[in-house]
Amino acid sequence: MNRILLTAALLSLAACSSGDQPTGLSAEENRQLNEAAAMLDANAVDLNAMAPSNVEAENPTDNES
């Protein structure tokens, strides 16, 4: 009975470790990710450039909640 359980356990462990797992990104996937990162960087906005630095002094708000 112990041999059957040991054999079943070893077979189930062997089934879990298949060798067809991807090892990393392909060259095409890497290129696409680089293009997406460049597009996001190009669309990034500096919030300090959008509003003057003294906005809080002119429009004080109470955030008591």
Side-chain angles (χ1 to χ4, degrees):
M1 182 70 168
N2 285 339
R3 284 186 183 184
I4 294 173
L5 291 176
L6 180 60
T7 304
L10 290 175
L11 288 175
S12 64
L13 284 176
C16 291
S17 60
S18 64
D20 61 347
Q21 296 293 325
T23 58
L25 296 176
S26 68
E28 178 65 19
E29 290 170 329
N30 196 24
R31 184 190 62 76
Q32 290 174 349
L33 285 174
N34 286 338
E35 285 180 1
M39 186 173 34
L40 288 172
D41 287 342
N43 291 333
V45 176
D46 183 13
L47 293 179
N48 291 328
M50 291 182 62
S53 61
N54 62 354
V55 169
E56 188 173 324
E58 294 175 6
N59 298 323
T61 57
D62 293 327
N63 289 332
E64 297 176 17
S65 43

